[in-house]
Amino acid sequence: MKHFVVALIGAICLVGGIQAAGTVVDNVAGNLTIGINTFNANVLAFNATITAGDALIRQAFNNWNATMLKNVTAIQQRFQPYTMLSTNGITSILSNLAMVNIMPLASDPTLQSVNTTVQSQIQQVATALNMAALNITAQVNCTNTFSINCMIKYGAQLTQKPILVSRFGECFTNETARLAIVAQNISTSINTTLAFTQTLFNLSNICTIPTVAQLTPPANSVNFNTPSTQCINQYLSGLSQIPTYFSFADTARWTQVNLITQRIQRCATLVQYDITDSINRVQNSFGTCLKTGV
């Protein structure tokens, strides 16, 4: 009878241990799924900000490009009758403007790579977390009266702060508002460039524009004095810089975007280290608990 009772107690312990172990493993897996879903939602919001920012930038660029084409074409038509003036520069500008385009934030390689990198870090943490759960549950032993309680206690800690993969999503959330500001800054910069180039177009009024008749020598004229065209030629030459103004306006974005991706990466790396260290502490505490019961 005594042996039967001992065997029964052992069987109950074993069944209880298996059930508790299964609960720990399931809870860790379920918590991982919730955390990854939360992370994905944070990234989705971040990407939505990129999409909205691209729409804002595209609108500013389209307005800039259309206005440039309109004004340059008007200048070309204005001076076209004056055959003694070279309008090759304007023709070149029109050609360059047709090729000017803007790179969407969505295609920025640093923004694309940071998400991939953080996803990899999450997978590393998930692997470490699953291994810790298996390690703890594998050490349940009915000959050790502490093992089941220790497993339940420290197995639960694997699903609590700071061991939450959802923390990776906060790295993106923290930068979402800043990314919107970058898009607004780019749009504003493009609009400012547009205002500046409009001033440049207005400079043409400084030059005294000769009439076509003044630039056309009379028949059989020997001493025809052509009005000075230096001002106009210099002005037309200066217009060739217009496409570069947009480049200056757009270049400022790279530093800002790089800072955002660097902060996301730094945040994610710190989160990974913190979670990994916490997992190790839980396992060490579990090992101590098997010996002391606490």
Side-chain angles (χ1 to χ4, degrees):
M1 183 66 179
K2 179 180 179 181
H3 294 295
F4 173 76
V5 172
V6 171
L8 180 60
I9 293 174
I12 293 173
C13 172
L14 181 60
V15 171
I18 292 174
Q19 290 178 339
T23 299
V24 168
V25 172
D26 289 344
N27 287 345
V28 168
N31 196 60
L32 269 174
T33 299
I34 293 172
I36 291 173
N37 288 340
T38 301
F39 167 79
N40 289 335
N42 294 144
V43 173
L44 189 63
F46 184 82
N47 290 339
T49 300
I50 293 177
T51 301
D54 277 338
L56 187 66
I57 295 169
R58 173 58 62 179
Q59 181 181 20
F61 170 75
N62 288 344
N63 183 44
W64 180 90
N65 201 44
T67 303
M68 291 301 102
L69 288 172
K70 176 183 176 181
N71 286 334
V72 173
T73 300
I75 293 292
Q76 183 187 46
Q77 292 173 347
R78 180 181 181 185
F79 293 121
Q80 207 162 30
Y82 307 112
T83 56
M84 298 182 69
L85 299 175
S86 174
T87 57
N88 291 336
I90 293 182
T91 302
S92 176
I93 294 170
L94 289 171
S95 176
N96 290 337
L97 284 174
M99 293 186 292
V100 172
N101 207 340
I102 191 164
M103 179 179 176
L105 290 171
S107 61
D108 188 299
T110 59
L111 288 175
Q112 291 178 333
S113 64
V114 72
N115 187 23
T116 302
T117 301
V118 176
Q119 290 276 9
S120 176
Q121 291 174 301
I122 290 176
Q123 288 303 315
Q124 293 174 37
V125 167
T127 298
L129 193 51
N130 284 323
M131 290 296 294
L134 292 175
N135 179 54
I136 288 176
T137 55
Q139 296 187 57
V140 173
N141 186 342
C142 288
T143 60
N144 184 330
T145 56
F146 302 138
S147 64
I148 294 180
N149 288 336
C150 290
M151 177 189 65
I152 293 173
K153 176 181 179 180
Y154 290 100
Q157 291 186 16
L158 293 177
T159 62
Q160 300 169 0
K161 287 185 177 182
I163 307 177
L164 297 175
V165 296
S166 58
R167 294 174 60 196
F168 284 98
E170 296 171 5
C171 299
F172 285 85
T173 300
N174 293 340
E175 298 299 329
T176 298
R178 293 190 183 100
L179 185 62
I181 293 173
V182 169
Q184 181 62 59
N185 288 344
I186 297 170
S187 175
T188 300
S189 182
I190 294 173
N191 291 332
T192 300
T193 301
L194 179 60
F196 174 76
T197 49
Q198 185 61 56
T199 302
L200 180 61
F201 287 125
N202 294 338
L203 285 177
S204 65
N205 296 324
I206 294 176
C207 300
T208 301
I209 309 298
T211 65
V212 176
Q214 287 176 310
L215 290 175
T216 305
N220 302 319
S221 173
V222 178
N223 298 313
F224 176 71
N225 294 319
T226 303
S228 173
T229 57
Q230 291 186 71
C231 179
I232 299 172
N233 281 327
Q234 184 64 33
Y235 171 75
L236 294 178
S237 175
L239 288 180
S240 63
Q241 302 176 35
I242 287 178
T244 65
Y245 298 150
F246 175 77
S247 298
F248 292 148
D250 192 43
T251 300
R253 82 156 83 184
W254 305 119
T255 300
Q256 299 177 65
V257 172
N258 282 336
L259 286 174
I260 286 176
T261 55
Q262 287 173 16
R263 284 194 295 264
I264 291 175
Q265 185 59 74
R266 183 165 57 247
C267 170
T269 298
L270 293 176
V271 168
Q272 180 182 14
Y273 287 157
D274 190 51
I275 293 178
T276 301
D277 286 345
S278 298
I279 291 172
N280 291 335
R281 282 197 299 272
V282 168
Q283 292 189 94
N284 291 336
S285 296
F286 171 73
T288 301
C289 183
L290 290 178
K291 300 174 183 177
T292 64
V294 293

